[in-house]
């Protein structure tokens, strides 16, 4: 399996630090608003990377944080006249709902920055002791960027170019930096801001130290993969490397993965530009599986332009797979009712199934090449086409099931739910409830219980009340 590593700017063979295990840290969102679909891109991409690694048999320890202390959270809290934790907790919950709806697996750990302050104080102390940081007279602690000889190795920037080229980095304003390239590890609180005690001042951490510390705590000093959007390469990830490697004395992450931007009219979708759609907005018009499909239809490192046309194309593509699976289920059910239908595969079907395995091979080849999900999805389409031509009402049950399982399995690696449980209709529920009442009246309790269990399996909960039987979907 090859992964493009931002550090070397090459595709490299993936070799985990510990055989059979993958440790992976993905920088998560700052929680002051509903997430937009640009934020959803890394969530979907790296969840797919995780799912593929798991399919390959790796045990994946997947950590993704919530940045829950930040200027924007504090600003929003002040506007609403509430504590900043009210804002961050609200949007963490909303973000989790969106992730679930996008079929993004829950991380092994979802740490929150505000719960990891002790670790941050420790790492800052180590950096001070090792001469990589200094405290200014107002209590701000800065990282001494020039003390880390390899600074710039991820973003391929040269310290002297940064000094000469990027004027904005030189604007030091009222701060007390020794060098304009230095960055904040700890800063003093301002009026109305959340703060923690520290040896330097009452204050709060800088953004970069949060990820260095949460990654160390949950994954160890050296990890396999560190990931996020490409806007994080500089300065966030560059600074994380400087902090972690200086403090731990070990290489930090082996592979650095970055997704390209989700754009709108060829401009990066972002909260600050106001050119965004939230995941919630999209869910009003589309099944979010279609959004997931849309994200996977391009290579993760390429920019992806969001448009109504492309979403319609994604809808058609996704529905082509869903329809095929639903037809296969229909044929399977029909053959189960048909005593004449054969169970086992014929010799021709056995040969066809062998041929169908070629699509798994194609899928894996695409994913092994730096997670080329666009080609992987094409392999699923070819399999769907194959199923549509090969499966008929005369096919054996074993054959139909084997083809269907293959489509569902490959889609599942992409996190795409293509087998929809047929939803029981309200009218069917009502008539089953009536039948249960009749059975009870006739003292046929076995049938009454059977109906209750059948409904329960479909997620319908019955409640016997004085006004009669009430039901709800669980
Ligand atoms: P933020 O909340 O801005 O810190 O972003 C959380 C994650 O979303 C980071 O990995 C960002 O790089 C990523 N991200 C933000 N905007 C976009 C975008 N338009 N396209 C792709 N990724 C993005
Ligand atoms: Zn981070």
């Amino acid at each position: 399996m090859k992964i493009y590593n931002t550090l070397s700017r090459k595709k490299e063979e993936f070799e985990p630090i510990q055989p059979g295990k993958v440790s992976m840290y993905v920088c998560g969102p700052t929680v002051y608003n509903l997430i937009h679909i640009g934020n959803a891109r890394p969530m979907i991409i790296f969840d797919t990377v995780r799912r593929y690694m798991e399919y390959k048999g790796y045990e994946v320890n997947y950590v993704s944080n919530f940045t829950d202390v930040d200027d924007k959270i504090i600003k929003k809290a002040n506007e609403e006249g509430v504590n900043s934790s009210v804002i961050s907790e609200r949007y963490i919950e909303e973000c989790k709902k969106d992730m679930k709806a996008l079929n993004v697996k829950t991380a092994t750990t979802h740490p929150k920055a505000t719960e990891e302050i002790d670790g941050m104080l420790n790492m800052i102390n180590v950096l001070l002791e090792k001469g990589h940081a200094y405290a200014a007279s107002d209590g701000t602690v800065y990282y001494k960027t020039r003390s880390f000889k390899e600074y710039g190795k991820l973003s391929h920037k040269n310290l002297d170019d940064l000094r000469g080229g990027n004027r904005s980095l030189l604007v030091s304003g009222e701060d007390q930096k020794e060098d304009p390239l230095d960055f904040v590890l700890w800063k003093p609180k301002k009026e109305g801001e959340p703060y923690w005690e520290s040896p330097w001042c009452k204050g709060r951490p800088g953004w970069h130290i949060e990820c260095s510390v949460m990654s160390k705590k949950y994954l160890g000093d050296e990890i396999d993969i560190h990931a996020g959007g490409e806007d994080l390469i500089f300065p966030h990830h560059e600074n994380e490397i400087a902090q972690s490697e200086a403090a731990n004395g070990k290489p930090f992450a082996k592979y650095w993965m970055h997704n390209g931007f989700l754009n709108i009219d060829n401009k990066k979708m972002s909260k600050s530009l106001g050119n965004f759609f939230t995941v919630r907005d999209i869910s009003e018009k589309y099944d979010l599986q279609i959004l997931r499909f849309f994200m996977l239809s391009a290579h993760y490192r390429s920019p992806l332009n969001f448009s109504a046309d492309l979403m319609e194309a994604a809808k058609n593509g996704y529905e082509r797979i869903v329809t095929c699976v639903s037809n296969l289920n229909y044929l399977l059910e029909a053959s189960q009712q048909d005593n004449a239908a054969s169970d086992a595969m014929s010799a021709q079907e056995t040969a066809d199934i062998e041929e169908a395995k070629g699509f798994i091979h194609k899928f894996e080849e695409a994913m092994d090449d730096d997670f080329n999900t666009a080609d992987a999805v094409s392999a699923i389409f070819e399999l769907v086409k194959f199923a549509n031509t090969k499966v008929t009402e005369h096919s054996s049950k074993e054959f139909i099931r084997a083809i269907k399982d293959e489509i569902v399995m490959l889609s599942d690696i992409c996190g795409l739910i293509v087998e929809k449980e047929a939803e029981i209709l309200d009218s069917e529920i009502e008539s089953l409830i009536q039948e249960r009442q009749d059975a009870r009246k006739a003292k046929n309790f076995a049938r009454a219980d059977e109906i209750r269990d059948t409904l329960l399996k479909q997620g319908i909960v019955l409640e016997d009340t004085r006004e009669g039987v009430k039901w709800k979907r669980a």
Side-chain angles (χ1 to χ4, degrees):
M1 188 193 316
K2 284 199 160 50
I3 296 185
Y4 180 89
N5 190 349
T6 310
L7 198 58
S8 64
R9 286 182 166 167
K10 283 196 197 95
K11 280 187 199 169
E12 294 175 22
E13 192 56 39
F14 178 67
E15 280 165 17
I17 298 167
Q18 275 189 57
K21 294 191 173 176
V22 179
S23 50
M24 197 167 167
Y25 187 95
V26 181
C27 290
T30 307
V31 278
Y32 66 100
N33 216 328
L34 290 174
I35 57 163
H36 61 66
I37 57 176
N39 301 132
R41 191 172 188 197
M43 288 174 184
I44 292 168
I45 295 299
F46 299 116
D47 177 64
T48 307
V49 169
R50 171 194 187 168
R51 285 170 181 269
Y52 187 63
M53 296 276 193
E54 286 174 344
Y55 163 72
K56 285 266 189 168
Y58 290 107
E59 187 188 313
V60 184
N61 190 348
Y62 190 98
V63 177
S64 189
N65 68 294
F66 288 114
T67 295
D68 62 345
V69 54
D70 174 87
D71 288 344
K72 294 180 209 113
I73 302 174
I74 296 167
K75 183 166 173 269
K76 178 124 182 175
N78 290 342
E79 281 163 12
E80 288 194 20
V82 295
N83 204 301
S84 70
S85 64
V86 173
I87 301 294
S88 56
E89 285 304 319
R90 180 196 302 159
Y91 290 110
I92 286 173
E93 284 320 304
E94 296 302 331
C95 179
K96 285 185 175 170
K97 281 186 210 161
D98 287 339
M99 287 198 282
K100 188 155 190 268
L102 290 164
N103 203 25
V104 169
K105 288 175 90 169
T106 310
T108 316
T109 316
H110 266 306
K112 298 178 197 166
T114 56
E115 292 174 2
E116 308 292 343
I117 302 291
D118 284 350
M120 297 177 206
L121 297 178
N122 283 339
M123 192 178 277
I124 296 171
N125 249 326
V126 171
L127 290 170
L128 282 163
E129 278 165 16
K130 290 190 168 183
H132 287 289
Y134 58 94
S137 60
D138 66 351
T140 308
V141 184
Y142 293 102
Y143 188 93
K144 205 185 268 194
T145 300
R146 280 176 192 282
S147 73
F148 185 67
K149 294 290 165 258
E150 293 177 279
Y151 193 85
K153 68 177 172 179
L154 179 71
S155 52
H156 306 273
K157 289 182 195 290
N158 173 308
L159 275 185
D160 295 319
D161 290 348
L162 282 175
R163 237 193 117 67
N166 193 341
R167 301 303 300 175
S168 65
L169 282 168
L170 296 175
V171 179
S172 49
E174 64 220 70
D175 58 44
Q176 303 178 14
K177 288 180 188 178
E178 288 174 1
D179 184 320
L181 293 175
D182 296 347
F183 60 88
V184 169
L185 298 171
W186 187 265
K187 56 183 159 198
K189 76 175 181 94
K190 292 195 197 118
E191 194 51 39
E193 289 187 354
Y195 69 90
W196 290 264
E197 297 291 340
S198 85
W200 317 290
C201 63
K202 288 184 167 68
R204 61 187 168 100
W207 172 35
H208 317 300
I209 195 75
E210 298 174 7
C211 289
S212 281
V213 166
M214 291 185 271
S215 176
K216 178 182 170 78
K217 176 162 171 189
Y218 295 101
L219 298 170
D221 290 352
E222 295 181 74
I223 70 168
D224 292 306
I225 300 173
H226 197 115
E230 67 181 1
D231 51 339
L232 301 188
I233 299 174
F234 186 85
H236 187 51
H237 288 164
E238 195 69 65
N239 291 354
E240 280 190 48
I241 293 179
Q243 296 164 156
S244 296
E245 298 196 352
N248 304 330
K250 290 182 193 148
F252 181 26
K254 229 175 143 182
Y255 305 90
W256 287 86
M257 294 181 75
H258 295 98
N259 64 273
F261 290 143
L262 180 81
N263 292 334
I264 194 150
D265 296 328
N266 298 311
K267 274 200 209 82
K268 180 194 172 196
M269 183 176 286
S270 76
K271 284 174 198 159
S272 52
L273 289 176
N275 60 346
F276 64 88
F277 290 108
T278 63
V279 170
R280 229 37 88 76
D281 293 334
I282 300 302
S283 73
E284 282 170 20
K285 186 152 182 225
Y286 292 101
D287 178 341
L288 287 177
Q289 289 293 298
I290 294 168
L291 182 63
R292 185 163 182 131
F293 186 95
F294 164 77
M295 297 284 185
L296 297 176
S297 62
H299 193 279
Y300 76 92
R301 283 189 286 118
S302 309
L304 176 57
N305 213 34
F306 181 78
S307 72
D309 284 353
L310 286 177
M311 276 301 280
E312 283 304 312
K315 183 169 184 275
N316 289 337
Y318 171 67
E319 285 176 355
R320 208 184 314 161
I321 309 175
V322 173
T323 307
C324 174
V325 171
S326 142
N327 287 342
L328 293 175
N329 271 332
Y330 173 80
L331 287 171
L332 199 57
E333 225 164 86
S335 74
Q336 257 143 10
Q337 317 279 328
D338 178 2
N339 292 334
S342 67
D343 284 332
M345 281 194 247
S346 65
Q348 180 58 47
E349 288 178 335
T350 310
D352 286 343
I353 280 297
E354 267 317 299
E355 195 182 334
K357 284 193 187 134
F359 301 111
I360 301 185
H361 182 68
K362 257 190 160 169
F363 178 95
E364 288 182 1
E365 223 171 38
M367 293 297 271
D368 282 342
D369 182 17
D370 190 32
F371 305 97
N372 189 336
T373 53
D375 284 1
V377 168
S378 296
I380 302 180
F381 278 153
E382 286 180 49
L383 175 59
V384 163
K385 202 168 150 203
F386 184 82
N388 289 344
T389 48
K390 296 283 177 184
V391 181
T392 68
E393 66 263 39
H394 307 299
S395 302
S396 71
K397 292 173 208 167
E398 196 185 357
F399 181 64
I400 306 174
R401 198 172 295 117
I403 289 232
K404 188 200 82 174
D405 287 351
E406 194 174 316
I407 300 174
V408 172
M409 177 192 78
L410 295 183
S411 304
D412 185 56
I413 298 170
C414 297
L416 292 168
I417 301 167
V418 292
E419 190 167 31
K420 307 255 170 184
E421 297 263 322
E423 198 167 84
I424 185 163
L425 300 172
D426 288 8
S427 56
E428 291 175 69
I429 299 171
E430 305 286 355
S431 78
L432 276 170
I433 290 176
Q434 190 52 52
E435 194 191 330
R436 178 170 168 263
Q437 296 294 78
D438 297 343
R440 287 172 113 193
K441 262 195 215 134
K443 302 220 177 320
N444 184 354
F445 297 113
R447 176 66 189 143
D449 287 350
E450 193 180 68
I451 293 172
R452 175 187 280 267
D453 291 347
T454 305
L455 287 169
L456 203 58
K457 272 195 204 123
Q458 306 257 15
I460 309 299
V461 184
L462 300 186
E463 199 188 340
D464 293 307
T465 70
R466 252 188 262 164
E467 295 83 41
V469 180
K470 294 209 166 129
W471 64 269
K472 60 176 188 221
R473 291 181 196 271

